[in-house]
Amino acid sequence: MSDKITLSTWPTPLEPLPRLAAAIGLGENDLWIKRDDLIGLGGGGNKVRKLEWTVGAALAEGADTLVTTGAAQSNHARLTAAAAARLGLDVVLVFPGTPDGAAGGSGNLVLDGLFGARIHWAGDGTPSELAGAAEEVCRELAREGAHPYLIPFGGSSPLGARGYVEGGEELRTQLPDVDHVVVALGSGGTMAGLIGALGAERVLGVHCGAVAEPAATVADLAGALMGRPVVPGTLRVRTDQVGAAYGVLHEPVLEAMRTAAATEGIVLDPVYTGRAMAGLIAAVRDGDIRRGQRTVFLHTGGLPGLFGHAEAVHRSVAALRSHRSG
Ligand SMILES: *Cc1c(COP(=O)(O)O)cnc(C)c1O
């Protein structure tokens, strides 16, 4: 028995992308998009499927306050805040850095504020120091008489990843003989869950630079989920779209964002889904994905993140346009 709760209406739509398929060298009927960006809570995105499990566990334990961590533009933190608002819980988001260093007043931070989240700025440090700061926030809340529940970075525990076992099963019902599912790999739980539902050979993860060892991270989560060891080397992980760094706009990503927007009216973000689409395009170029194979792009959301990096995207698009018309 599980304590899972429902935070949206399922299933999310699956739509064809014929014009984008043709533009990147696939057959018109080869490419589909699974619209988890349209999940109906807090601006949408993949983290909601995981939160149905982790927040369900928090409620079952009698929690009254959710605590989580991530980058200041974390989509997971924003959706944790939205889930807390819907359920009448308090929420504390623990971010690295300081309020003035963190592009306050843009993107996800605006929504965090609307959802009523409290933000604890932990200063600069390593990922494990940030996790330590979140644990300290929980101890402090408990001393004040609250009942905090800590949701890990990205919601990526084996429990949270169960949301994407369901997501993968949902997709298989919509498109039974899917050959490839292409997904952005951040904290790893989404890819791990999809592997649980569809098998490792059908899932292509595009590393976004959020973790040090992407294949090992996904293998650990998938192994814990399925109750048997998963060898990192058997997973399909592309690491060619990270670029200079996690927050820095990478030229193929910008090109992928422009192509998806101009052919299908689909908006991708520069941190996750733009990288995933750039990885899909690269996989078609190098023959890992071929014409005639049924390929699904999982749109994991992230639109507010675009507005957390809006200036860089705007400047690069404007520069490209003037270059091409000159
Ligand atoms: C978090 C996130 C991902 C990556 O999912 P993980 O389960 O962390 O690997 C992809 N896309 C968007 C928009 C995200 O916010």
Side-chain angles (χ1 to χ4, degrees):
M1 211 199 76
S2 87
D3 302 305
K4 190 198 148 187
I5 56 170
T6 299
L7 291 170
S8 187
T9 305
W10 312 102
T12 57
L14 182 75
E15 300 171 341
L17 293 177
R19 285 171 42 78
L20 178 58
I24 67 175
L26 289 173
E28 263 188 19
N29 303 317
D30 295 347
L31 186 63
W32 301 74
I33 185 167
K34 174 76 169 152
R35 300 295 305 269
D36 278 11
D37 57 319
L38 300 183
I39 288 172
L41 174 74
N46 63 330
K47 301 308 179 319
V48 177
R49 288 190 192 266
K50 306 190 217 179
L51 288 163
E52 288 195 333
W53 290 86
T54 53
V55 178
L59 290 175
E61 287 186 16
D64 57 15
T65 308
L66 303 179
V67 179
T68 198
T69 62
Q73 284 297 331
S74 166
N75 298 305
H76 161 71
R78 180 242 312 165
L79 288 165
T80 301
R86 178 170 290 185
L87 297 163
L89 303 172
D90 286 333
V91 61
V92 182
L93 307 177
V94 181
F95 291 149
T98 57
D100 18 291
S106 79
N108 279 298
L109 281 168
V110 177
L111 303 183
D112 297 340
L114 283 173
F115 296 135
R118 271 193 286 154
I119 296 181
H120 176 94
W121 296 99
D124 292 325
T126 63
S128 72
E129 284 167 342
L130 185 65
E135 283 163 18
E136 181 52 39
V137 165
C138 287
R139 283 192 289 272
E140 181 66 33
L141 286 164
R143 278 195 292 273
E144 292 165 2
H147 297 279
Y149 183 95
L150 181 59
I151 298 174
F153 167 68
S156 284
S157 56
L159 179 68
R162 288 166 76 168
Y164 267 95
V165 177
E166 295 177 315
E169 283 163 359
E170 189 181 294
L171 171 61
R172 209 172 42 200
T173 306
Q174 293 170 312
L175 196 70
D177 33 354
V178 51
D179 293 301
H180 306 280
V181 179
V182 181
V183 64
L185 193 179
S187 61
T190 302
M191 183 175 178
L194 291 173
I195 287 170
L198 300 165
E201 59 293 332
R202 293 202 271 186
V203 184
L204 174 61
V206 182
H207 176 42
C208 298
V211 292
E213 296 195 54
T217 302
V218 174
D220 283 351
L221 286 163
L225 198 59
M226 297 190 287
R228 58 180 166 79
V230 172
V231 179
T234 62
L235 304 185
R236 296 171 65 197
V237 175
R238 292 192 80 100
T239 57
D240 55 348
Q241 302 303 330
V242 177
Y246 180 68
V248 180
L249 195 57
H250 173 56
E251 183 61 33
V253 173
L254 186 72
E255 193 58 44
M257 290 174 67
R258 291 182 69 251
T259 305
T263 58
E264 301 280 3
I266 295 283
V267 185
L268 306 176
D269 78 286
V271 179
Y272 292 106
T273 54
R275 283 192 166 106
M277 186 59 78
L280 191 161
I281 293 169
V284 172
R285 286 210 183 111
D286 68 22
D288 184 33
I289 294 177
R290 296 186 303 279
R291 281 178 87 90
Q293 296 183 321
R294 292 185 158 205
T295 301
V296 173
F297 178 79
L298 177 61
H299 196 322
T300 45
L303 178 59
L306 170 59
F307 296 107
H309 301 87
E311 257 190 56
V313 175
H314 182 65
R315 251 187 285 113
S316 309
V317 170
L320 267 176
R321 292 180 73 95
S322 67
H323 176 71
R324 281 180 189 174
S325 62

